[in-house]
Amino acid sequence: PWLERVSLLRRAAERFEARKYDLSAACLFEVGKSRMEAVGEVEETIDLIRYYAAEMEKNEGYDRPMQRAFQQEATRCVLRPQGVFAVIAPFNFPVALSVAMTTGALLAGNTVVYKPSPMAGLTGRLLADCFVEAGLPAGALNLVCGGAEVGETLVAHPGVAGVAFTGSHAVGMGIFRRMAERPYAHPVIAEMGGKNPTYVTANADLDTASSGVMRSAFGLSGQKCSAGSTVLVHERVADEFLGALVDKTAKLTVGDPQRADVFVGPVINRAAAERFERVAASVRQQGRFAAGGEMLAGGLYDRGYYAAPSIATDLPPDHDLHKDELFLPFLTVRRFADLGSAIREGNDVPYGLTAGIYTQNEAELQLFLNTAEAGVLYANRASGATTGAWPGIQTFCGWKGSGVTGKGGLGPWYVPQFMREQSHTVMG
């Protein structure tokens, strides 16, 4: 019953709270996330469980009376579980994203087969323990570890009623197509990355703008689906903004994320480092680096994959780096003369996850809010130009190639996606 599920998930939130530092440490060691971000992720996880449980309660288990056609006839609309959900999670938010998808499925009454990223298996095991310790019935949550072959097996399995996935656009669309090949439609709830533009107008507070852009571009080494990896800045303030951004970036400490002063840790693996090298070579051929541009070497840097926070400029306006998701500490900067044209340029990507603006002009703000093609919009945030969503405060919905359902996580429409509607009409 839904009331028991709500109670059980709230107990799970208590277990996550009790084991917050265990989970944070595992996340730090496996993913290279900074201390601040690792602890913050677990705190977000606790809040999102409680938020989804409260939504379930507020909607009375998604069971509500309908109008009557006849006095002697009563009808109710109920949302019912789908069955078994495969939850396929990414490496970059191994606690929050895993738990968000798992909690949505469990609160809705489904069972879950959960596959953490192979780069975050310990974190996945620890969070599964939290659910078990909370009293989840045997078989309700099933942990399986592995890479792409395991994920493909889950998606192909006839016993899986739906898939919840966070990861790349290519893999997400592959899952969507595979599930569409079945005899009838099965739900796919997918968030699939982004290329998230920030607009800095001539009316911006440049200190706030440079702080927000720096944090969104280089937090978690740019390995966030919401990372701000491209900036369009008005030509009148471009030099001043770029100077402030380069100065702030130069002060970032790149190193061992166990240290409290480190903001930028390593990228996740050799493949990411090789991708960085390819991207950097392209910039050296067609543009220039205002900061960074190299993999770091010597000492600690020889024992991991550490990329310098990099700012590329003077690239051609149609360069692929302005449009491709890089998942690296890598930012491109270009200039504009007209905000409307800049927003059209920023929209001209396959993605639509987040976008940000810095302006003190109301007309510019409204133009952005009304024309930016992304599910999460931010204005004038020093803490992050395109990052920083929190459960119950910002919803996190991917438009275009960033999502498939038109409804996002962290908000009121997330849990119902794991259910299907049923009408009950009973003659009295």
Side-chain angles (χ1 to χ4, degrees):
W2 70 266
L3 281 169
E4 292 182 29
R5 300 198 300 269
V6 166
S7 178
L8 192 151
L9 267 296
R10 284 180 171 147
R11 290 199 300 275
E14 293 172 0
R15 295 309 306 152
F16 278 92
E17 200 159 39
R19 302 190 67 177
K20 177 169 70 174
Y21 295 110
D22 293 340
L23 285 156
S24 300
C27 179
L28 183 153
F29 279 113
E30 291 194 295
V31 176
K33 187 166 289 199
S34 72
R35 286 164 48 149
M36 178 183 69
E37 287 205 290
V39 174
E41 179 179 344
V42 182
E43 290 176 343
E44 178 187 6
T45 299
I46 296 162
D47 277 6
L48 72 82
I49 296 173
R50 289 172 174 160
Y51 174 75
Y52 290 152
E55 283 297 303
M56 192 78 176
E57 199 168 52
K58 184 164 69 174
N59 288 278
E60 298 182 344
Y62 298 94
D63 180 337
R64 63 188 58 190
M66 303 294 288
Q67 298 181 62
R68 288 176 179 252
F70 306 99
Q71 187 58 39
Q72 69 271 29
E73 176 181 281
T75 300
R76 302 190 69 82
C77 171
V78 299
L79 296 188
R80 303 292 301 279
Q82 298 272 357
V84 179
F85 259 87
V87 169
I88 302 174
F91 77 85
N92 60 336
F93 285 86
V95 184
L97 290 174
S98 294
V99 173
M101 294 184 285
T102 298
T103 298
L106 292 172
L107 273 173
N110 303 283
T111 56
V112 170
V113 180
Y114 161 54
K115 188 192 88 65
S117 165
M119 292 170 279
L122 172 61
T123 307
R125 168 59 193 267
L126 290 177
L127 71 86
D129 285 347
C130 288
F131 284 110
V132 172
E133 290 166 7
L136 202 68
L141 175 63
N142 309 273
L143 173 68
V144 295
C145 292
E149 184 178 357
V150 175
E152 290 164 4
T153 301
L154 284 175
V155 172
H157 197 288
V160 169
V163 176
F165 167 80
T166 304
S168 73
H169 177 77
V171 174
M173 291 307 296
I175 292 171
F176 199 66
R177 295 186 186 100
R178 186 66 182 266
M179 295 295 281
E181 293 172 353
R182 296 191 178 193
Y184 58 87
H186 292 259
V188 176
I189 303 166
E191 190 269 285
M192 303 179 293
K195 186 66 177 179
N196 311 294
T198 301
Y199 308 95
V200 181
T201 80
N203 299 297
D205 178 321
L206 297 184
D207 183 57
T208 300
S210 55
S211 292
V213 168
M214 178 270 291
R215 289 179 176 278
S216 281
F218 303 129
L220 190 55
S221 298
Q223 299 170 123
K224 299 180 181 181
C225 51
S226 59
S229 60
T230 187
V231 177
L232 297 96
V233 56
H234 194 278
E235 57 191 13
R236 287 214 312 267
V237 298
D239 290 339
E240 186 179 355
F241 167 77
L242 186 59
L245 178 62
V246 169
D247 286 347
K248 286 182 169 65
T249 301
K251 295 174 183 175
L252 295 176
T253 302
V254 183
D256 184 347
Q258 294 177 83
R259 289 171 41 194
D261 63 329
V262 167
F263 186 81
V264 182
V267 294
I268 191 66
N269 55 21
R270 182 187 296 275
E274 291 172 348
R275 188 167 68 252
F276 181 94
E277 295 280 22
R278 290 194 300 272
V279 169
S282 177
V283 172
R284 286 190 286 269
Q285 289 175 357
Q286 300 186 59
R288 70 179 181 90
F289 280 108
E294 70 280 337
M295 295 297 296
L296 301 176
L300 171 74
Y301 301 145
D302 290 338
R303 301 197 298 275
Y305 304 106
Y306 290 86
S310 301
I311 302 170
T313 188
D314 298 344
L315 289 166
D318 60 348
H319 198 285
D320 287 345
L321 295 187
H322 298 313
K323 298 186 177 185
D324 293 343
E325 184 181 38
L326 301 176
F327 239 57
L328 295 168
F330 205 101
L331 177 70
T332 68
V333 179
R334 49 194 152 149
R335 301 169 186 240
F336 71 83
D338 172 72
L339 179 60
S341 299
I343 294 174
R344 285 192 292 275
E345 202 172 324
N347 286 340
D348 187 24
V349 293
Y351 302 101
L353 187 55
T354 71
I357 192 170
Y358 292 90
T359 180
Q360 301 302 313
N361 180 281
E362 183 63 24
E364 290 178 339
L365 175 60
Q366 291 304 317
L367 178 64
F368 166 74
L369 294 176
N370 290 322
T371 59
E373 295 176 357
V376 191
L377 304 181
Y378 300 102
N380 300 317
R381 297 176 95 221
S383 59
T386 61
T387 53
W390 200 263
I393 298 175
Q394 289 90 12
T395 58
F396 200 71
C397 179
W399 289 18
K400 300 191 292 186
S402 294
V404 297
T405 68
K407 300 179 179 68
L410 311 184
W413 309 116
Y414 186 66
V415 174
Q417 296 179 97
F418 291 87
M419 294 182 270
R420 49 189 170 180
E421 187 177 11
Q422 191 172 63
S423 175
H424 294 179
T425 298
V426 179
M427 300 298 292

